[in-house]
Amino acid sequence: MSDTGDGWCYRPFKLVLHPFRIMSASRTHSHLKDGTYQLITSGKELESALCWRSLAGGESLEQFSAIGLDCETTGLDPHIHTIRLIQLAVPDQPVMLIDLSQIVSCDRHPLQQLLSSPVLKTTHNGKFDWQFLAQAGLQPAPPFFDTQLAY
């Protein structure tokens, strides 16, 4: 632990993502309804998930009226920290956990297409996420809905 002089002690930590692909939520958290999650760790997996080959019936993510979006980062400053994980949620589909640090910039095009599409992007504290997404070359385009502002 280290004292930064601001009255807080910080313990360094390392984020470790377990190597699962699709897991039932009810297996790990019995209070949750059965649902699935998909961990995406490569450009190929990202393309498969976002280019709509993996969705039931071959439908497009852009057909949904809204998607849920959340970013987990390595810190609070988008100029020196980075996105670690992007979570995307659409109705009746697995929640996509995108390990952005494992996907090279040139393979992120399907994600950029989705973020710049006319689908409503729903977030909480969206300004924070937008700043990090822009720094990662994934500038989102309207429409947006921020649950923090709506409250």
Side-chain angles (χ1 to χ4, degrees):
M1 277 197 262
S2 63
D3 183 356
T4 60
D6 59 2
W8 290 90
C9 288
Y10 297 93
R11 176 179 293 153
F13 70 95
K14 180 179 181 182
L15 177 65
V16 177
L17 294 176
H18 297 283
F20 67 88
R21 289 292 180 249
I22 297 179
M23 178 180 288
S24 169
S26 62
R27 277 191 5 194
T28 55
H29 302 284
S30 58
H31 64 284
L32 296 176
K33 288 196 276 185
D34 196 18
T36 56
Y37 300 82
Q38 181 180 12
L39 179 62
I40 299 169
T41 59
S42 72
K44 190 173 188 176
E45 290 174 344
L46 181 66
E47 183 177 4
S48 177
L50 296 184
C51 286
W52 316 287
R53 287 192 291 271
S54 65
L55 295 177
E59 60 224 47
S60 166
L61 283 177
E62 293 178 358
Q63 83 175 22
F64 296 104
S65 59
I67 60 171
L69 172 68
D70 185 38
C71 296
E72 305 303 331
T73 65
T74 60
L76 300 176
D77 186 342
H79 299 290
I80 58 174
H81 298 110
T82 60
I83 295 176
R84 183 66 180 97
L85 190 72
I86 297 175
Q87 300 156 87
L88 293 175
V90 296
D92 303 316
Q93 298 298 326
V95 173
M96 290 173 252
L97 304 174
I98 302 167
D99 186 351
L100 201 63
S101 65
Q102 298 295 314
I103 301 170
V104 295
S105 297
C106 62
D107 288 341
R108 297 176 183 176
H109 182 71
L111 184 56
Q112 176 57 55
Q113 279 187 300
L114 177 63
L115 293 175
S116 62
S117 75
V119 173
L120 177 66
K121 292 95 179 163
T122 305
T123 65
H124 185 80
N125 192 14
K127 181 179 178 183
F128 178 83
D129 292 340
W130 299 158
Q131 291 173 334
F132 276 91
L133 288 165
Q135 285 296 107
L138 298 168
Q139 182 65 50
F144 307 123
F145 180 77
D146 189 331
T147 59
Q148 183 176 16
L149 295 177
Y151 180 72

